Amino acid sequence: MKILVTGGAGFIGSNFIYQQLAYHNDEIVCLDLLTYAGNLSTLDKAAKDNRFKFIKGDIADREFIYGLFAVEKPDIVVNFAAESHVDRSIKMPEIFLQTNIIGTSVLMDACRKYGIKRYHQVSTDEVYGDLPLDRPDLFFTENTPVHASSPYSASKASADLLVQAYYRTYGLPVTISRCSNNYGPYHFPEKLIPLMIINALNDKKLPVYGKGANVRDWLYVEDHCKAIDLIIRKGRSGEIYNIGGHNEKTNLQVVKIILRELNKPESLIDFVTDRPGHDRRYAIDPAKIHMQLGWLPETNFESGIKKTIKWYLENKTWWEEIINGAYKDYYQRMYEKR
Ligand code: NAD
Ligand code: TYD
């Protein structure tokens, strides 16, 4: 079987590729535009495997995508490609509409034209909006209405609606997963956990938005990838699956745990102006995927954060090259002579 993984040079897509290569014997084609968030060096080890191929390109470029499908004829498409950072979406929404909505529709049109066994859309719990902080009994289920807050989550929600429409109207075999906040290896240092680890290691201030009271339901990236693996192989077409569960922490708790693990002082915490429209709490009810596919998260936050910090300590070159911008030349260096 051949799996097309879009956005595979990013955080979750790269972890998914490594897990697929380790667990299965399928061919993997990674398509990625290598935006600021894509880093080809992340896929160095995968590139040594002859079941793996990397192609640079834009999911929203129709002609290119049709040409790619005509040649590669993938059986399964897993779409991780997206603009993924809420703060960037507040500053420049258009690219989020282009990649996250138009890109999704182009990929699904190609799936219709060339035929596939499954199109899987990697979505987010942010499409449900947020939950109040004083109602810990409330969780997002697959039946929670879509109610997005940021241009990022609105673009992801729009894409989800299109995926459902392609299922209903054209009978395209699709699945959607909506996960909570991921963390783990290869997480781009603009997001909360890697940013705080790296700033703490460099004795720089840790910018906490507002009072740090917002709650996220942290999902170790390997657990997320295992859930997607189950969905694409055993999940029912047309279904939505929530992924996450019961690893809720306030941002301030997360930052304090990181400082404690790194033996750094809490005086590094800097409370800064809050994010506009900041979602208060995300929390997933994973009952459906647990009952139907037997999935539950295996890594609790306390052990996952230790593994993550260890990875950032052991892979300084990876994030230092991002911080000093050197990773942007990597594609040029790797491919200029090919
Ligand atoms: P990321 O930003 O680390 O990676 C995104 C990848 O997509 C990058 O490699 C980038 O180069 C690529 N890309 C962007 N635009 C492209 C385009 N037009 N064509 C081809 N490639 C393009 O993101 P991530 O954190 O790995 O997230 C992956 C998916 O999971 C996204 O769809 C995101 O919405 C979703 N998600 C992420 C989280 C999280 O906590 N990180 C939580 C819920 C859902
Ligand atoms: P982020 O990693 O951007 O993910 P998301 O907004 O998709 O949940 O942010 C996680 C939480 O951390 C969110 O409540 C915003 C907060 N945050 C900070 O307090 N400081 C920061 O510098 C960043 C990037 C995020």
Side-chain angles (χ1 to χ4, degrees):
M1 196 159 69
K2 191 184 275 191
I3 306 179
L4 175 65
V5 179
T6 63
F11 165 44
I12 308 174
S14 59
N15 277 281
F16 179 75
I17 287 171
Y18 282 119
Q19 203 178 76
Q20 288 295 307
L21 290 171
Y23 290 0
H24 300 286
N25 205 14
D26 299 317
E27 281 179 74
I28 305 276
V29 178
C30 170
L31 165 71
D32 197 294
L33 186 56
L34 298 180
T35 67
Y36 80 93
N39 185 351
L40 200 54
S41 77
T42 298
L43 294 169
D44 268 350
K45 284 188 219 126
K48 296 194 180 94
D49 191 312
N50 58 17
R51 294 168 298 161
F52 175 82
K53 185 197 274 187
F54 177 81
I55 297 171
K56 186 178 176 192
D58 186 348
I59 59 163
D61 180 343
R62 189 172 292 275
E63 204 179 321
F64 164 77
I65 290 293
Y66 285 8
L68 176 88
F69 272 68
V71 174
E72 296 295 343
K73 302 187 176 63
D75 300 291
I76 294 182
V77 177
V78 185
N79 180 25
F80 292 93
E83 288 292 334
S84 67
H85 191 37
V86 172
D87 291 324
R88 283 179 188 260
S89 82
I90 294 169
K91 292 250 177 321
M92 38 182 176
E94 299 97 86
I95 184 65
F96 285 73
L97 312 190
Q98 178 65 17
T99 290
N100 299 2
I101 306 175
I102 304 294
T104 297
S105 74
V106 169
L107 279 177
M108 289 194 297
D109 284 339
C111 290
R112 286 178 57 215
K113 190 169 158 72
Y114 293 95
I116 37 109
K117 292 198 178 82
R118 175 66 60 80
Y119 173 86
H120 181 73
Q121 177 75 358
V122 180
S123 184
T124 167
D125 61 357
E126 300 191 27
V127 303
Y128 299 123
D130 65 352
L131 296 163
L133 291 176
D134 59 356
R135 289 292 307 273
D137 55 314
L138 296 180
F139 297 92
F140 296 138
T141 74
E142 291 77 2
N143 296 324
T144 303
V146 165
H147 188 81
S149 316
S150 69
Y152 162 69
S153 54
S155 70
K156 294 294 289 186
S158 307
D160 283 10
L161 293 177
L162 269 179
V163 176
Q164 289 178 292
Y166 274 56
Y167 173 72
R168 170 90 186 244
T169 305
Y170 305 117
L172 191 71
V174 302
T175 36
I176 297 174
S177 54
R178 293 175 175 160
C179 66
S180 53
N181 287 61
N182 284 221
Y183 68 108
Y186 301 115
H187 203 180
F188 196 80
E190 67 185 350
K191 306 280 170 62
L192 179 77
I193 288 184
L195 180 77
M196 299 299 163
I197 295 173
I198 292 170
N199 280 13
L201 284 173
N202 290 331
D203 295 310
K204 284 172 67 177
K205 291 279 184 199
L206 273 47
V208 172
Y209 299 164
K211 295 193 175 84
N214 303 61
V215 172
R216 297 293 182 263
D217 179 2
W218 292 99
L219 172 64
Y220 193 62
V221 65
E222 279 177 20
D223 283 340
H224 181 198
C225 295
K226 283 183 189 171
I228 295 177
D229 182 51
L230 278 171
I231 295 169
I232 59 175
R233 291 165 199 274
K234 300 198 175 129
R236 270 189 31 212
S237 182
E239 295 289 317
I240 296 170
Y241 298 91
N242 283 356
I243 311 174
H246 313 310
N247 274 298
E248 288 178 53
K249 293 270 177 280
T250 67
N251 294 337
L252 195 55
Q253 282 173 323
V254 169
V255 169
K256 285 186 176 176
I257 291 170
I258 292 171
L259 287 170
R260 200 180 60 220
E261 290 292 327
L262 290 172
N263 208 11
K264 297 283 182 177
E266 289 188 6
S267 56
L268 286 177
I269 295 173
D270 186 16
F271 292 99
V272 299
T273 309
D274 210 351
R275 170 188 282 170
H278 198 170
D279 279 340
R280 293 160 296 175
R281 170 174 170 252
Y282 303 142
I284 291 257
D285 174 359
K288 178 175 173 179
I289 190 166
H290 178 53
M291 307 280 274
Q292 294 189 7
L293 302 178
W295 180 91
L296 270 183
E298 293 165 23
T299 313
N300 64 24
F301 188 75
E302 285 62 30
S303 66
I305 196 70
K306 281 192 201 317
K307 283 199 270 188
T308 304
I309 291 175
K310 187 164 179 282
W311 188 88
Y312 279 84
L313 286 169
E314 288 170 356
N315 291 275
K316 277 191 174 173
T317 319
W318 183 85
W319 53 264
E320 278 171 354
E321 287 199 345
I322 290 176
I323 287 172
N324 68 29
Y327 77 112
K328 289 190 186 136
D329 309 326
Y330 188 88
Y331 182 79
Q332 195 77 8
R333 279 187 270 130
M334 284 297 287
Y335 284 83
E336 66 191 348
K337 295 201 182 75
R338 293 190 183 184

